[in-house]
Amino acid sequence: MSDLFSLDGRVALVVGAADGGLGAYAARALHEAGATVALADLAARESDLATTARACGPTATTHEVDVTDAASVTALVEGVVAAHGRVDVLVACAGAMLRRGIEDTDPAEWQHIIDVNLTGTWLLDRAVLAPMRAQGYGRIINFSTVYAERVGPIPESAYYAAKAGIANVTRAVASEAGRDGVTANCLAPAVFYPTRMTAPLADDPERLEWFRARTMLGRLGDPATDLTGPLLLLASDAGAYLTGQILYVDGGWSAW
């Protein structure tokens, strides 16, 4: 049974892997399952990316990318294939959030959130399809959130729109690439705490408690443990017959 979840011999590209985010936890989990990991993030996060790399063994490589730039994304994937010979797993979790009401959101701010979250995911998926199709194998894992089909109590319309779009991009990729041996699925976590993105909630204990109470399990997600199983399911042969799915890792939030 353990062989089904093994990633021995696989190469996993994790985008948004700087230390402190869910991507860093995902990278460590993939490494511990046997994968060679390629880690990517913005140039400004080089130091935090190096921290993740140190936890992922001597074969880990680090790469600079701007997911809003198609040329940068193409160069990233070409660099990973050049360094490791292949790319078997993509984990696309680069993201940005804007906690601001609709009337207070400038159109340029809206566009930035869409570009990072939605367009960036689409560009990454698009870039890995050619090498994955050529080798007849691939696992694409996009990160959305529990807000893929709902909204929460915080005003952040651009973020909600982008994350909902990621869900349907995932389904679209699955429909186009399935017959070539490539699966595409989406992890949709609720509030995982603490991470770089959720750290500001420390200043709002009432809202943090609301999030905790909102789950059926009565607790927030632990980024060090609660993503590992679902991630490895989608990245490994254990999930070979799963594609086009949105997997909510949310303590029951979406079932209420």
Side-chain angles (χ1 to χ4, degrees), residues 100-185:
R100 195 169 298 162
I102 292 174
E103 293 170 297
D104 296 322
T105 300
D106 184 271
E109 295 173 320
W110 160 278
Q111 192 62 55
H112 174 69
I113 298 302
I114 297 297
D115 287 347
V116 172
N117 293 283
L118 179 55
T119 306
T121 297
W122 181 81
L123 287 172
L124 287 164
D125 291 359
R126 176 176 176 264
V128 299
L129 278 177
M132 286 182 174
R133 279 176 159 150
Q135 66 201 22
Y137 180 95
R139 300 283 185 263
I140 293 173
I141 304 168
N142 296 326
F143 267 62
S144 181
T145 74
V146 70
Y147 300 131
E149 298 181 30
R150 67 200 69 236
V151 299
I154 299 175
E156 43 190 355
S157 59
Y159 185 72
Y160 295 146
K163 290 300 185 177
I166 289 171
N168 249 14
V169 163
T170 301
R171 296 182 181 107
V173 173
S175 72
E176 292 189 30
R179 294 180 184 271
D180 297 314
V182 179
T183 66
N185 292 288

Side-chain angles (χ1 to χ4, degrees), residues 9 15 59 71 76-78 85 94 101 107 114-115 143 152 168 183 185 187 189 225 235 248:
V15 183
T59 61
L76 166 67
V77 174
E78 290 176 349
I114 297 297
D115 287 347
F143 267 62
N168 249 14
T183 66
N185 292 288
L187 280 179
T225 59
Y248 290 96

Side-chain angles (χ1 to χ4, degrees), residues 1-83:
M1 182 64 69
S2 61
D3 289 345
L4 279 175
F5 291 88
S6 172
L7 295 176
D8 287 346
R10 299 298 186 189
V11 175
L13 168 59
V14 183
V15 183
D19 189 54
L22 290 182
Y25 291 100
R28 294 184 186 108
L30 295 167
H31 162 66
E32 290 168 6
T36 296
V37 293
L39 311 168
D41 216 309
L42 291 166
R45 293 181 176 161
E46 179 181 6
S47 178
D48 288 336
L49 194 63
T51 299
T52 305
R54 286 192 291 272
C56 292
T59 61
T61 56
T62 59
H63 307 261
E64 176 186 328
V65 69
D66 176 355
V67 297
T68 69
D69 184 308
S72 178
V73 171
T74 298
L76 166 67
V77 174
E78 290 176 349
V80 171
V81 173

Side-chain angles (χ1 to χ4, degrees), residues 191-206:
V191 177
F192 276 66
Y193 183 84
T195 67
R196 184 189 303 110
M197 191 170 282
T198 60
L201 289 172
D203 298 325
D204 192 350
E206 290 185 5

